[in-house]
């Protein structure tokens, strides 16, 4: 089932619901401009992912772009237009310019990256928990060429993902990083050579859906929140997340299943 989000102008974001509601495929539909994001598109992305996070059936989301490119960043023509209804939001509070860059969801999101994933588009991919790319993918801080800053978390998330030295290479030079190099750096988690990034992302999402969800989500949140904490405080917070999982009963069910021979040899127990 495919549905369009509610927006203020022409719909530029669509949602395809897969696997009985467990997987949401969210797609930016502005292929003519390599899926650049203007204000209405940013608003629609924010609305869509808010709905995903609140949906009790939804487990994993996939973000992609229409027509062979992930996203080429903010729509500079919209910025240059001077029209408030088209220009990306520039407020210290609330949503970021690309719409979702300041959101922290309780569930994982996978970026399916084909073609250009640059500037603000790179920042969208960095916001996602994992990135699956195919051989057509190019990552880069192309906004360097136009004096447009990284303002949706790029200077924060990129060094955390691939290290300061490699991040500086990308941030300072603005050069393109092809799929193979991105995979070797850890910028891409999966590299698909014989199928599309979207196909690989769907398979990965299906794998995540099969896992016990409370434990996975709590461990994910602990890994995200620890960056701003001391080691002592981060470990204490990890313990609280762990207690939440233990008290949910999910762990005892998993332990019982293990004693009965389930979940072994790489097999997953659903949640």
């Amino acid at each position: 089932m495919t549905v369009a989000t509610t927006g203020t102008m022409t719909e530029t974001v669509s949602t395809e619901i897969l696997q009985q509601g467990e997987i949401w495929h969210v797609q930016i539909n502005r292929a003519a401009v390599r899926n650049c994001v203007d204000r209405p598109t940013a608003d629609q992305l924010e609305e869509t992912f808010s709905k995903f996070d609140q949906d009790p059936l939804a487990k994993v989301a996939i973000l992609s772009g229409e027509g062979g490119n992930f996203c080429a960043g903010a729509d500079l023509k919209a910025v240059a237009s001077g029209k408030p209804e088209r220009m990306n939001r520039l407020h210290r509070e609330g949503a970021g310019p690309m719409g979702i860059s300041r959101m922290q969801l309780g569930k994982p999101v996978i970026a399916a990256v084909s073609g250009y994933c640059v500037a603000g588009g790179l920042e969208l991919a960095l916001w996602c928990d994992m990135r699956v790319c195919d051989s057509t993918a190019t990552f880069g801080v192309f906004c360097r060429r136009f004096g447009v800053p990284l303002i949706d978390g790029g200077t924060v998330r990129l060094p955390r993902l691939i290290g300061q030295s490699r991040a500086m290479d990308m941030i300072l030079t603005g050069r393109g990083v092809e799929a193979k190099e991105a995979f070797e750096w850890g910028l891409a988690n999966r590299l698909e050579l014989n199928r599309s990034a979207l196909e690989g992302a769907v398979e990965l999402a299906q794998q995540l859906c099969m896992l016990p969800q409370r434990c996975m989500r709590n461990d994910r949140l602990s890994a995200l929140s620890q960056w701003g904490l001391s080691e002592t405080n981060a470990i204490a917070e990890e313990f609280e997340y762990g207690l939440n999982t233990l008290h949910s009963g999910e762990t005892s069910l998993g332990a019982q299943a293990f004693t009965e021979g389930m979940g072994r040899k790489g097999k997953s127990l659903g949640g």
Side-chain angles (χ1 to χ4, degrees), residues 66 83 108 117 141 245 267:
E66 178 188 30
K83 298 178 180 179
C117 176
V141 186
T245 299
K267 295 181 181 180

Side-chain angles (χ1 to χ4, degrees), residues 9 12 28 30 33 35-46 71-102 118-121 123-124 148-149 151-152:
M9 296 179 65
T12 56
I28 304 172
R30 303 191 76 209
V33 290
N35 299 313
C36 285
V37 172
D38 57 5
R39 174 65 177 268
T41 306
D43 289 345
Q44 290 175 46
L45 284 171
E46 181 188 12
C71 175
D75 188 338
L76 297 186
K77 289 184 178 179
V79 174
S81 73
K83 298 178 180 179
E85 70 273 13
R86 292 196 62 208
M87 297 171 63
N88 298 66
R89 187 187 291 103
L90 287 176
H91 303 305
R92 288 184 174 86
E93 306 295 331
M98 297 292 285
I100 55 177
S101 58
R102 297 174 187 168
V118 299
E123 292 180 293
L124 288 182
V148 177
I151 201 170
D152 282 273

Side-chain angles (χ1 to χ4, degrees), residues 34-35 65-72 112-118 121-122 125 132-140 142 176-179 182 196-198:
R34 293 177 174 169
N35 299 313
E66 178 188 30
N69 289 295
F70 180 74
C71 175
V113 180
S114 298
Y116 284 109
C117 176
V118 299
L122 173 63
V132 178
C133 75
D134 57 35
S135 58
T136 69
T138 298
F139 300 82
F142 284 14
V177 175
E178 304 301 323
S196 71
L198 180 57

